[in-house]
Amino acid sequence: MSMTKHISIESKHELIDYLAAGCKPKSMWKVGTEHEKFGFHRHSLKPLHYTEPGGIRDILQQLADKHGWQPVYEQDNIIALSRHGCSITLEPGGQLELSGAPLSDVHQTCAETNQHLKELKSIAEPLGTAFLGMGFQPTASRDDIQFMPKDRYKIMSAYMPKVGSLGLDMMKRTCTIQANLDFSSEADMVKKFRVSLALQPVATALFANSPFTDGRVNGYLSYRSHIWTDTDPHRCGILPFVFEPGMGFERYVDYMLDVPMYFVQRKGKYLNAAGLSFRDFLSGHLKILPGEKPTIKDWEDHLTTAFPEVRLKKFLEMRGADGGPWRRICALPALWVGLLYDDTQLNQAADWISDWTQEDHAYLRSQVPKYGLCTAFKGEKVRDLALRMLAMSRAGLEKRAIKTSCGKDESVHLTALQEIADTGVTPAERKLGKYHGVWQQELSEIYRLCAY
């Protein structure tokens, strides 16, 4: 790790400069894709625990031993893997996450995902385990799922019930797909932030895939998305300030300075800073470290503890999608690359959403998790927005003209989403139809149909 990450920060301007350092010329833009999935035992369908034979620890160790991943430990527990710019990490309830490397195009990130799932399956099958791609664990209760042995999760799990009723469910029972994209300047960042934040509910509708809780219908198409509305109001939501005059790196820094802290890492240990102020830390008045100021590493850690629908680091993270199958893991980066990496489509999208009010954004955020593509909006349905968004994204991808050896450009990865938008039926609604039909209100079949 660079020694500069351990030098104390003396001013807010250094925090602003950190974000601004993410600016890259278009020729250097990359795409990163992350996805999470639930592990389970094939015979019992119960969630995987960490220490049990064939559980999460054994899977991580075998991935390291057989596929060249480098293990990362916390105390004596293997809690992550790294290889060639990728990482495999553990979410609080044992959800396995692949954080892909920054790659040049969607074809590459899709191949990376395919390779990961192939390796994971080669390990899981002999152990009698598999992984499930959905936005919310459909049958396991909160108590059925054990926390992973990471100290940061101990701090978070103790704090969550103080600020919302669904934070522990977020930690243990949700999975997402995420795409990470670059920007060239502060103005470019702002435009992309506004467009992606405004249209994030459309992505949520297209990817809606979490209609079950505790083995029963929960009344939502994306219950995962709903979970975030009652997790922690200080670190979640649609960020109204992004659409206001004066938005820029400094404004986001001001927001993050007001997001309550979770922890500080020192000498390999997590110190409980839950609810404390990073502003106090910056001025040397953090009560658990009096007189000490934060480092860039502390700032990087703190940036990961906010959970808005779009998150700014040295790149922008699209966070609106439920977990799902391989095709939709590839589709999410394709959707956003086509829309945000082509100037024509980005400018058209910015014009499209320019007159949406804060009430419009709040309305979409609150209604889409329940009604999906059927959500009414400005005389249309969200399905109409999705069809328009897909057409724009397709045009952007076709213009990039990055093709496989078979001659297919990146727009091929939109096929799964186009099918959803054309029919107007979300993945959640397809499952609900089967639940009330051939599944006879029983969910064991979902583990066979949706497993990796």
Side-chain angles (χ1 to χ4, degrees):
M1 182 180 295
S2 170
M3 292 301 294
T4 60
K5 291 191 176 185
H6 298 287
I7 298 174
S8 295
I9 296 169
E10 297 298 329
S11 72
K12 186 178 80 170
H13 201 74
E14 292 175 69
L15 308 181
I16 299 168
D17 288 345
Y18 173 87
L19 295 178
C23 295
K24 300 178 179 69
K26 191 170 185 175
S27 61
M28 294 179 62
W29 289 354
K30 304 292 185 182
V31 54
T33 306
E34 305 178 21
H35 79 275
E36 303 161 354
K37 55 268 186 193
F38 302 104
F40 66 94
H41 294 280
R42 285 189 176 274
H43 69 281
S44 67
L45 307 184
K46 291 183 178 179
L48 299 184
H49 295 163
Y50 182 79
T51 57
E52 66 182 332
I56 296 293
R57 179 177 60 188
D58 287 351
I59 289 172
L60 290 177
Q61 190 61 60
Q62 289 198 35
L63 283 168
D65 293 342
K66 297 180 180 181
H67 293 289
W69 290 86
Q70 297 300 310
V72 178
Y73 292 90
E74 184 171 312
Q75 298 171 16
D76 294 327
N77 296 311
I78 184 171
I79 50 92
L81 304 167
S82 65
R83 187 185 69 186
H84 306 319
C86 301
S87 63
I88 297 173
T89 56
L90 295 180
E91 292 300 297
Q95 306 97 313
L96 212 64
E97 177 179 358
L98 175 71
S99 296
L103 297 170
S104 296
D105 58 65
V106 181
H107 299 310
Q108 290 182 10
T109 195
C110 194
E112 173 191 70
T113 297
N114 189 40
Q115 177 67 21
H116 164 68
L117 294 177
K118 183 178 179 181
E119 290 179 2
L120 184 59
K121 187 174 183 178
S122 74
I123 299 298
E125 276 193 344
L127 296 173
T129 63
F131 286 82
L132 179 69
M134 288 189 69
F136 193 84
Q137 222 294 346
T139 59
S141 71
R142 188 190 292 178
D143 291 340
D144 289 336
I145 300 171
Q146 295 181 352
F147 277 115
M148 295 297 101
K150 297 173 69 172
D151 285 345
R152 67 182 288 171
Y153 295 153
K154 295 177 183 177
I155 294 170
M156 291 172 64
S157 63
Y159 181 72
M160 285 291 183
K162 299 176 182 178
V163 291
S165 67
L166 298 176
L168 295 180
D169 285 314
M170 179 279 291
M171 294 181 72
K172 285 188 170 186
R173 297 202 280 178
T174 63
C175 279
T176 189
I177 306 167
Q178 179 176 302
N180 304 327
L181 280 78
D182 289 317
F183 44 81
S184 62
S185 64
E186 185 171 50
D188 186 48
M189 178 277 292
V190 172
K191 185 181 292 186
K192 287 173 176 171
F193 208 148
R194 288 172 174 167
V195 167
S196 59
L197 195 55
L199 295 178
Q200 209 64 216
V202 183
T204 297
L206 285 167
F207 284 81
N209 191 30
S210 46
F212 306 112
T213 302
D214 297 325
R216 298 182 296 276
V217 174
N218 57 35
Y220 290 84
L221 299 181
S222 177
Y223 190 62
R224 180 208 60 84
S225 183
H226 170 69
I227 288 275
W228 288 109
T229 66
D230 194 6
T231 292
D232 185 340
H234 296 105
R235 67 184 79 241
C236 305
I238 56 173
L239 308 185
F241 68 83
V242 171
F243 301 97
E244 296 172 355
M247 170 57 187
F249 294 124
E250 182 173 10
R251 184 65 188 86
Y252 194 83
V253 166
D254 286 335
Y255 159 71
M256 284 304 307
L257 288 174
D258 290 328
V259 169
M261 296 175 67
Y262 279 148
F263 57 82
V264 180
Q265 288 190 70
R266 288 294 181 270
K267 297 180 180 178
K269 294 185 177 182
Y270 286 86
L271 307 182
N272 191 338
L276 300 183
S277 166
F278 206 94
R279 285 188 187 276
D280 288 346
F281 200 5
L282 189 60
S283 65
H285 295 107
L286 192 68
K287 67 180 183 180
I288 64 168
L289 292 171
E292 189 169 332
K293 291 190 175 185
T295 65
I296 286 295
K297 180 62 169 62
D298 294 326
W299 179 237
E300 290 176 342
D301 285 345
H302 186 57
L303 287 171
T304 70
T305 67
F307 309 119
E309 295 295 284
V310 177
R311 182 164 65 187
L312 176 63
K313 294 179 181 174
K314 288 184 177 180
F315 46 85
L316 288 165
E317 299 178 339
M318 311 294 124
R319 296 173 44 83
D322 281 4
W326 174 78
R327 292 175 73 208
R328 291 204 294 277
I329 296 172
C330 300
L332 186 73
L335 178 68
W336 290 112
V337 166
L339 192 68
L340 301 184
Y341 274 9
D342 179 76
D343 290 341
T344 299
Q345 304 309 318
L346 177 60
N347 289 332
Q348 288 180 1
D351 290 342
W352 176 23
I353 61 96
S354 62
D355 64 346
W356 293 9
T357 65
Q358 297 293 355
E359 290 76 19
D360 291 333
H361 299 305
Y363 168 81
L364 286 173
R365 180 65 187 87
S366 67
Q367 297 300 298
V368 163
K370 193 172 184 68
Y371 301 109
L373 294 171
C374 292
T375 305
F377 183 69
K378 292 183 175 292
E380 297 182 297
K381 296 291 180 65
V382 167
R383 179 192 175 195
D384 299 306
L385 308 186
L387 288 166
R388 183 174 180 180
M389 185 176 175
L390 281 164
M392 296 170 71
S393 178
R394 183 176 300 279
L397 294 173
E398 289 175 348
K399 186 176 177 181
R400 276 164 61 88
I402 299 175
K403 298 182 179 181
T404 66
S405 58
C406 299
K408 295 180 179 180
D409 64 51
E410 293 164 299
S411 67
V412 68
H413 300 296
L414 295 177
T415 302
L417 300 184
Q418 194 68 54
E419 291 172 358
I420 293 166
D422 286 345
T423 62
V425 181
T426 63
E429 288 165 305
R430 292 190 185 279
K431 290 179 177 64
L432 286 168
K434 292 179 179 178
Y435 174 82
H436 292 295
V438 295
W439 292 350
Q440 298 181 336
Q441 300 188 17
E442 203 278 324
L443 289 177
S444 60
E445 189 69 3
I446 213 168
Y447 287 90
R448 182 182 69 83
L449 292 175
C450 301
Y452 296 119

